[in-house]
Amino acid sequence: MSLTVYPPVSPEEQRRGEDESQQLELQWLLGEFQKSLMSLKEGLEECAALLAPKEPGSTLVLSSLRSENVKGFVTRVGTKIVKGDIHLRLTSLPPNTPRTQTNSNPSTHLSFAPSPTAPDLVLPQLFAVRSLVNDSLDIIDVSRWAGQATDASFISGQLRLLHDNLANAKAYMKGPVAGQDETIPGCEWWTSSVDARVFQPPLPDHLSLHFTIQDANIVLTIRTLAPTSPGGTPSTPASDSGFSLSGFSLRNKLLGLGPRAPNHDEVGQIFEWLGKQDVVVREKTRVETGDPSLMSSAAKLSALEHEVGKWRYNLRTVMGEEDD
């Protein structure tokens, strides 16, 4: 089969016809984007509603697996934790509840009751996601009503902003990746742990409660800390070294009678706790709880980011630009 054009046209006419056809296709694609932006806005508004501060909020159970280390609940409203009640049973944390006939295993009881001077318990990752969603809604409004809907370069730039916002929001919902915590707000526990005044009684000086988001779940990591000292090593502070010139502590260690050696992924590391002193982590436990609203929001953000990515690819292809 011959593909020769008849009657024959000059190369200049053929090139001109191709350019006209490309311009028509580009204008059609830009018109389709205006329709698609409406559905994108609806999806973002659904995400915004899931993250909005609506009472009564989401009450989530906290329970450590295969142990009684952590029991309790927290209530999330929007981007904040507004209520909570937690019982801790850690070997390195003295209990604050007495032993009774009905309570043979005393624990450290923490009740969410902020003092008037305590800051709100904000989840930084959710705050960042909500801000990005609101910014994306503004970008859509500008793209539709700025009077440049037929300007391919303008729409291309707007789609790039949208895609970046949605990719960042998805990353915040995904949570920190090992070695990349600096890219996620609020993930440095030694500077962003819960303020001691948020709970009653106030948190002990060397107890860290740190909330993060991981795979759209709310994660609470609890650490007991000890200050470093010349008499100990980074992984074993002086008070826990277990070494004695008399040999009794060493014997207890060898026989398994002494306190257990720390066993977690931060053994041997030194942290600057609240910018005041160097500490090591004595004991660490982690619990996570699924939040249906966050899971739904994360799924929507992932789908919207994928859709905008396809729009960008299609537009750059028609514009004759290389895909980035």
Side-chain angles (χ1 to χ4, degrees):
M1 178 182 292
S2 175
L3 298 178
T4 303
V5 176
Y6 184 85
V9 296
S10 65
E12 291 77 10
E13 287 181 288
Q14 182 175 348
R15 192 178 305 109
R16 187 163 51 249
E18 291 173 352
D19 291 342
E20 290 175 357
S21 176
Q22 186 177 17
Q23 284 301 314
L24 289 173
E25 184 178 4
L26 182 59
Q27 292 306 312
W28 173 85
L29 188 61
L30 292 174
E32 290 298 307
F33 282 160
Q34 291 300 309
K35 300 175 185 178
S36 300
L37 286 173
M38 286 295 296
S39 61
L40 178 64
K41 184 175 182 179
E42 292 175 1
L44 286 171
E45 287 174 341
E46 292 175 2
C47 291
L50 290 170
L51 298 173
K54 294 181 179 178
E55 296 290 350
S58 302
T59 298
L60 310 167
V61 175
L62 297 174
S63 180
S64 51
L65 296 175
R66 298 183 295 277
S67 75
E68 297 290 326
N69 287 349
V70 184
K71 296 291 181 183
F73 74 91
V74 291
T75 300
R76 178 189 65 83
V77 175
T79 61
K80 301 177 183 178
I81 300 294
V82 299
K83 188 184 299 183
D85 193 87
I86 303 174
H87 291 265
L88 304 177
R89 290 175 181 168
L90 304 176
T91 57
S92 55
L93 184 65
N96 62 7
T97 58
R99 186 188 301 272
T100 64
Q101 292 182 349
T102 58
N103 181 22
S104 58
N105 295 314
S107 62
T108 301
H109 178 214
L110 304 174
S111 179
F112 189 92
S115 69
T117 59
D120 292 334
L121 206 173
V122 178
L123 301 174
Q125 289 167 253
L126 290 188
F127 184 84
V129 171
R130 189 180 176 197
S131 297
L132 288 167
V133 169
N134 290 334
D135 290 345
S136 297
L137 289 169
D138 291 339
I139 292 172
I140 291 176
D141 288 340
V142 171
S143 302
R144 295 182 61 215
W145 305 113
Q148 295 176 282
T150 58
D151 186 335
S153 296
F154 172 75
I155 295 299
S156 178
Q158 296 297 95
L159 290 180
R160 183 178 66 252
L161 289 175
L162 269 176
H163 190 258
D164 290 345
N165 278 5
L166 293 173
N168 288 333
K170 186 177 76 170
Y172 289 144
M173 281 293 197
K174 179 68 177 175
V177 178
Q180 301 179 15
D181 288 3
E182 65 277 3
T183 64
I184 303 295
C187 287
E188 294 180 340
W189 64 265
W190 55 93
T191 60
S192 57
S193 292
V194 176
D195 191 285
R197 298 165 293 174
V198 167
F199 287 95
Q200 294 299 328
L203 301 180
D205 290 339
H206 292 98
L207 175 64
S208 164
L209 270 62
H210 187 231
F211 286 95
T212 54
I213 307 298
Q214 188 82 41
D215 294 326
N217 295 321
I218 293 182
V219 177
L220 170 61
T221 305
I222 300 154
R223 297 172 174 87
T224 58
L225 313 173
T228 58
S229 65
T233 65
S235 61
T236 310
S239 58
D240 293 336
S241 64
F243 178 77
S244 169
L245 293 177
S246 64
F248 290 108
S249 295
L250 180 60
R251 182 184 63 184
N252 289 341
K253 285 283 188 180
L254 294 175
L255 295 177
L257 301 177
R260 293 183 179 179
N263 182 23
H264 52 77
D265 60 350
E266 293 175 343
V267 171
Q269 299 184 52
I270 298 178
F271 301 93
E272 188 178 4
W273 173 240
L274 302 178
K276 299 177 181 178
Q277 61 177 322
D278 291 340
V279 299
V280 294
V281 179
R282 297 179 63 190
E283 193 171 358
K284 176 182 176 181
T285 188
R286 178 182 183 275
V287 294
E288 65 178 59
T289 179
D291 188 322
S293 294
L294 298 188
M295 293 178 184
S296 178
S297 182
K300 291 179 184 296
L301 289 171
S302 181
L304 294 175
E305 186 244 358
H306 179 70
E307 190 68 17
V308 174
K310 290 197 302 182
W311 296 355
R312 291 192 65 202
Y313 176 79
N314 292 341
L315 181 58
R316 294 177 70 85
T317 300
V318 175
M319 292 175 66
E321 298 179 359
E322 292 186 2
D323 185 58
D324 60 354

